[in-house]
Amino acid sequence: MFSTIRIQTAAFDVGAETRVLGQVSSQVGAITSFTGLVRDINDDAGVSSLYLEHYPGMTERQLAEIVAEAAERWQVLAATVIHRVGELRPTDPIVFVGVASLHRGDAFQACEYIIDYLKTRAAFWKKEQTEAGARWLTTRDSDLKTAANWQADDASPKKS
Amino acid sequence: MFSTIRIQTAAFDVGAETRVLGQVSSQVGAITSFTGLVRDINDDAGVSSLYLEHYPGMTERQLAEIVAEAAERWQVLAATVIHRVGELRPTDPIVFVGVASLHRGDAFQACEYIIDYLKTRAAFWKKEQTEAGARWLTTRDSDLKTAANWQADDASPKKS
Amino acid sequence: MVKVIFFASLRENLGTAELQVAVPEPASVASLVTQLVAVYGDHWALELNRDNVLVAVNQALAERHQVIVAGDEVAFFPPVTGG
Amino acid sequence: MVKVIFFASLRENLGTAELQVAVPEPASVASLVTQLVAVYGDHWALELNRDNVLVAVNQALAERHQVIVAGDEVAFFPPVTGG
């Protein structure tokens, strides 16, 4: 399994990343990707910019762990996780998760698993600059529930 | 909801398509994509090339219907379906489905729904050129079952 | 006249992509098949009556009992295999 | 010496990104917190003992009772909000 983890300030190129995933093996039949964008309205306060920080070393290690877990549960030929840090603006792409597999079911499930756990486990912190001033975000309950669903479902290979 | 349906011989650009999906609204928080590639081994016969044909007019109409169904079940801000026809070779990208939504759960489900139904309902036919000669493919039982899962689950917004 | 088209393996097996057929009124998909078999022979009955052969009338999937009229487009094709 | 680092809101609230602290043996995360509060005041107790504050020792999540030794890296941070 080819695993690529990158944390960077620069933008990423979804086309290039998808191409690379498709080239790891002639067995790749399905590539799924998730791209997360900064939304302009988060919980109803106008967001003018977002600052992201991470824990260098630990964050990369956590992302590699999440990818490895996904590869244990589903058939994964290659996976790429890219997360941007630093200053971002509304509509900027912030995170990319791409998974290459033989079949689409595995690719979808593994991709969704990785982004769900990235949201609740990986050491990133977001500070929003809104009209009402700056504030550090707190973990969303909905994200915690979404990630917990995968555990409730450990016996089965599919998300409930 | 913005819907783009294209059937073409030319390759597609996953990066450009993803960018367009992200630009339909500043509300887009999640873009999911599926890219299907021609595999070199399908049911254990070496595939040297693939020829695809469709039913001009009807195929586009069917794809638009499938996208509209997905947009009824989940929150979809924009969706793009591109399917290539004509002569393709192993590892060539053959189909792209991209969905933009406010949230990732909707984007994942709608994207998977569209590709699952495209496989079983849209008027495309594949002819493989293998070492053993040319043969028209038959619908896979596994694809029929995967699509049927969405119907068994009609009461709930999530795939079982 | 009804426009009759065939796709994929069906087109190859019948050696025919498209026909213009004058149908009596009333006509149905089933009566059209009977009419085609009368002209082109039993080989066509075998091909067009396979369990898995699908029919579309005016680009919408249809049953064999569906009524057809002049100006309609009737398509016969094998199960789809896209994606 | 133990390297102690703080992230995000915790770093801002404490006005501190990183410290080098000499710890006695045996020491734990909890005893380190007590030691920091003794030096920097009750404000630090409030911040470091919040229910949702997480700890990592050598870049792996850890409980408060985990033993730490010279050379370790101990990080305190609020719940994560990536993605």
Side-chain angles (χ1 to χ4, degrees), chain B residues 76-147:
Chain B
V76 174
L77 295 170
T80 299
V81 179
I82 304 172
H83 204 298
R84 294 175 72 187
V85 291
E87 201 81 21
L88 294 171
R89 308 211 144 261
T91 79
D92 279 350
I94 175 171
V95 58
F96 173 85
V97 178
V99 173
S101 184
L102 278 83
H103 303 293
R104 70 187 183 284
D106 289 296
F108 271 110
Q109 298 274 321
C111 188
E112 196 169 5
Y113 180 94
I114 293 169
I115 183 63
D116 283 355
Y117 272 113
L118 182 155
K119 292 236 176 200
T120 54
R121 270 172 49 191
F124 291 102
W125 299 276
K126 271 186 200 136
K127 189 181 190 177
E128 276 185 350
Q129 195 74 43
T130 72
E131 290 151 7
R135 60 169 187 192
W136 290 95
L137 296 190
T138 51
T139 315
R140 287 165 176 276
D141 286 343
S142 60
D143 284 334
L144 294 171
K145 277 186 203 140
T146 302

Side-chain angles (χ1 to χ4, degrees), chain A residues 53-58 61 83 94-95 118-127 136-139, chain D residues 5-12 52 56 58-61 73-75 77-83:
Chain A
E53 68 176 68
H54 74 299
Y55 183 168
M58 180 166 173
R61 189 182 298 193
H83 205 298
I94 176 172
V95 59
L118 182 156
K119 292 236 176 202
T120 54
R121 270 173 49 190
F124 291 101
W125 300 277
K126 270 187 200 137
K127 189 183 191 177
W136 289 95
L137 296 189
T138 51
T139 314
Chain D
I5 48 183
F6 306 99
F7 289 99
S9 55
L10 212 53
R11 183 192 59 241
E12 289 191 350
N52 62 6
N58 299 329
Q59 306 192 348
L61 287 178
E73 175 177 296
V74 182
F77 46 82
V80 303
T81 55

Side-chain angles (χ1 to χ4, degrees), chain B residues 53-58 61 83 95 118-120 122-127 136-139, chain C residues 5-9 11-12 56 58-61 73-75 77-83:
Chain B
E53 69 176 68
H54 74 300
Y55 183 169
M58 179 165 174
R61 189 181 298 192
H83 204 298
V95 58
L118 182 155
K119 292 236 176 200
T120 54
F124 291 102
W125 299 276
K126 271 186 200 136
K127 189 181 190 177
W136 290 95
L137 296 190
T138 51
T139 315
Chain C
I5 47 183
F6 306 98
F7 289 99
S9 55
R11 183 192 61 241
E12 289 190 350
N58 299 328
Q59 305 191 350
L61 287 178
E73 174 176 298
V74 182
F77 45 82
V80 303
T81 55

Side-chain angles (χ1 to χ4, degrees), chain A residues 24-118:
Chain A
V24 296
S25 154
S26 59
Q27 285 295 93
V28 174
I31 303 169
T32 50
S33 80
F34 170 80
T35 304
L37 309 184
V38 179
R39 287 181 52 207
D40 68 343
I41 309 247
N42 209 347
D43 296 335
D44 299 328
V47 176
S48 60
S49 77
L50 204 60
Y51 171 77
L52 265 114
E53 68 176 68
H54 74 299
Y55 183 168
M58 180 166 173
T59 312
E60 291 86 341
R61 189 182 298 193
Q62 291 176 309
L63 294 177
E65 274 170 21
I66 295 168
V67 167
E69 284 167 16
E72 273 171 30
R73 292 179 72 143
W74 299 283
Q75 197 166 39
V76 174
L77 294 170
T80 298
V81 179
I82 304 173
H83 205 298
R84 293 174 73 187
V85 291
E87 202 81 19
L88 293 172
R89 309 211 143 263
T91 78
D92 280 350
I94 176 172
V95 59
F96 172 84
V97 178
V99 173
S101 183
L102 278 81
H103 303 293
R104 70 188 182 284
D106 289 298
F108 272 109
Q109 297 275 321
C111 188
E112 196 169 6
Y113 179 94
I114 292 169
I115 184 62
D116 283 355
Y117 271 113
L118 182 156

Side-chain angles (χ1 to χ4, degrees), chain B:
Chain B
M1 204 264 300
F2 294 81
S3 166
T4 304
I5 308 287
R6 291 209 308 272
I7 296 172
Q8 60 190 41
T9 54
F12 47 79
D13 178 340
V14 173
E17 299 303 335
T18 306
R19 254 190 312 282
V20 168
L21 285 167
Q23 285 162 354
V24 295
S25 155
S26 59
Q27 286 294 93
V28 174
I31 302 169
T32 50
S33 81
F34 170 79
T35 305
L37 309 184
V38 179
R39 287 179 55 208
D40 69 343
I41 310 245
N42 209 349
D43 297 334
D44 298 328
V47 177
S48 60
S49 78
L50 205 60
Y51 171 78
L52 264 114
E53 69 176 68
H54 74 300
Y55 183 169
M58 179 165 174
T59 312
E60 291 86 342
R61 189 181 298 192
Q62 292 175 309
L63 295 177
E65 274 170 21
I66 295 168
V67 167
E69 285 167 16
E72 274 170 30
R73 292 178 71 142
W74 300 282
Q75 198 167 40
V76 174
L77 295 170
T80 299
V81 179
I82 304 172
H83 204 298
R84 294 175 72 187
V85 291
E87 201 81 21
L88 294 171
R89 308 211 144 261
T91 79
D92 279 350
I94 175 171
V95 58
F96 173 85
V97 178
V99 173
S101 184
L102 278 83
H103 303 293
R104 70 187 183 284
D106 289 296
F108 271 110
Q109 298 274 321
C111 188
E112 196 169 5
Y113 180 94
I114 293 169
I115 183 63
D116 283 355
Y117 272 113
L118 182 155
K119 292 236 176 200
T120 54
R121 270 172 49 191
F124 291 102
W125 299 276
K126 271 186 200 136
K127 189 181 190 177
E128 276 185 350
Q129 195 74 43
T130 72
E131 290 151 7
R135 60 169 187 192
W136 290 95
L137 296 190
T138 51
T139 315
R140 287 165 176 276
D141 286 343
S142 60
D143 284 334
L144 294 171
K145 277 186 203 140
T146 302
N149 280 346
W150 293 103
Q151 295 208 312
D153 202 41
D154 255 344
S156 130
K158 280 233 161 192
K159 185 179 181 182
S160 67

